Amino acid sequence: LQENTTVLVPSANGCKDCTTQVCRDNFKRCAFAESRGGAVSVHCIDRSALTPRLAIASLLIVVFLLVVTALGKERFRALRRVHSLIGHRD
């Protein structure tokens, strides 16, 4: 059985608090899996880092631009050109 669970730890300590012990303390299945062969793995993601923030911000900008282009293509000539440049054919 594979299951993904999430535990949020304070970012002040970084990934130091992200251990298998935290998983075993909070989830019964982690303790059981650890006792049956160590099948627990831990991954730490620093959500306050610049790279994840840039990735999320760029995706939001792209989605916004695509929505504006799709909604405004009939009204504005420049958006019609953008709409045709991204490969959409009517």
Side-chain angles (χ1 to χ4, degrees):
L1 175 69
Q2 183 176 352
E3 185 176 323
N4 292 323
T5 54
T6 302
V7 176
L8 295 177
V9 295
S11 63
N13 296 335
C15 290
K16 293 178 206 160
D17 291 341
C18 191
T19 63
T20 56
Q21 183 63 41
V22 172
C23 179
R24 287 192 306 265
D25 293 343
N26 290 300
F27 304 105
K28 291 179 185 176
R29 286 189 171 180
C30 285
F32 179 75
E34 191 71 16
S35 69
R36 300 287 183 199
V40 177
S41 62
V42 178
H43 305 281
C44 183
I45 300 171
D46 184 4
R47 289 189 170 101
S48 64
L50 182 62
T51 306
R53 288 180 181 211
L54 283 176
I56 292 168
S58 66
L59 285 173
L60 289 174
I61 290 169
V62 167
V63 167
F64 175 76
L65 290 175
L66 288 172
V67 168
V68 167
T69 301
L71 293 177
K73 68 181 178 197
E74 300 298 327
R75 188 172 237 190
F76 302 104
R77 185 180 307 166
L79 290 178
R80 262 184 260 143
R81 287 189 200 129
V82 171
H83 189 258
S84 66
L85 284 175
I86 60 175
H88 189 274
R89 305 284 182 236
D90 290 329

